[in-house]
Amino acid sequence: TSAPNHTPPPTQRPAQTQQPQQTTSAPWSGGATTVDSNTPWHPQTQPPQTQPPQTNAPWTQPPQTNAPWTQPPQTNAPWTQPPQTQQPQWTQGPTQGAGGAQNIMEFCKSNSDGIHADPTDCAYFIECAGGATFREPCAPGTAFSTSIKTCDRIENAHCDHAA
């Protein structure tokens, strides 16, 4: 026997209602986007684009400095009063006379070099140098002192043969 020819009826799909497509404009989408109402909608987001902040380098006015300055010192030229010297008074000493007195200008022939008291007058002293005799006066108001070998005030000189 033959089997009955049985063709299954075509399967029917349930009728789908098409829903209209909607067009929307999302603020982040950058324009119009078509959205199918059957498809869940997932907006595509763009990564945020940020501009680097613009900053200006801090600016300060450079300090104004003046070069160091020192007023030069005021100096006066050195000044010394010129020394006041007295003209040497060369005198001829006593000559050897009848009484056997010695010539004072021959004093250093028998005495050593250096300063010596004048044996005839305390207002003078004798300097011997290389056998030569130099008879020199003390300043006015002074006499030769044998203790300090220079001229000193008359009262300190202790001279017993003043002229």
Side-chain angles (χ1 to χ4, degrees), residues 105-116 126-134:
M105 296 311 286
E106 302 287 323
F107 181 84
C108 292
K109 289 184 179 180
S110 59
N111 288 288
S112 64
D113 286 353
I115 308 286
H116 303 277
I126 296 175
E127 183 173 358
C128 296
T133 302
F134 300 94

Side-chain angles (χ1 to χ4, degrees), residues 5-160:
N5 190 7
H6 186 293
T7 338
T11 49
Q12 292 189 355
R13 284 191 192 157
Q16 291 184 357
T17 47
Q18 281 202 340
Q19 299 208 354
Q21 290 185 344
Q22 296 178 352
T23 302
T24 181
S25 180
W28 59 83
S29 68
T33 304
T34 303
V35 178
D36 182 0
S37 61
N38 291 329
T39 309
W41 182 62
H42 298 288
Q44 290 191 355
T45 58
Q46 297 289 327
Q49 293 181 1
T50 58
Q51 292 284 343
Q54 288 185 339
T55 58
N56 293 328
W59 183 81
T60 57
Q61 176 123 5
Q64 291 182 341
T65 57
N66 295 326
W69 181 80
T70 305
Q71 183 155 355
Q74 292 181 341
T75 58
N76 296 325
W79 181 81
T80 56
Q81 183 150 355
Q84 295 180 351
T85 57
Q86 294 180 352
Q87 192 74 354
Q89 297 177 2
W90 298 103
T91 58
Q92 180 69 35
T95 59
Q96 188 149 1
Q102 128 183 22
N103 181 351
I104 196 66
M105 296 311 286
E106 302 287 323
F107 181 84
C108 292
K109 289 184 179 180
S110 59
N111 288 288
S112 64
D113 286 353
I115 308 286
H116 303 277
D118 184 322
T120 62
D121 191 346
C122 290
Y124 291 88
F125 62 94
I126 296 175
E127 183 173 358
C128 296
T133 302
F134 300 94
R135 187 171 189 242
E136 300 181 35
C138 290
T142 64
F144 188 78
S145 170
T146 55
S147 62
I148 60 173
K149 299 237 181 225
T150 190
C151 297
D152 196 2
R153 294 179 15 203
I154 292 174
E155 61 268 14
N156 295 335
H158 305 294
C159 181
D160 58 354

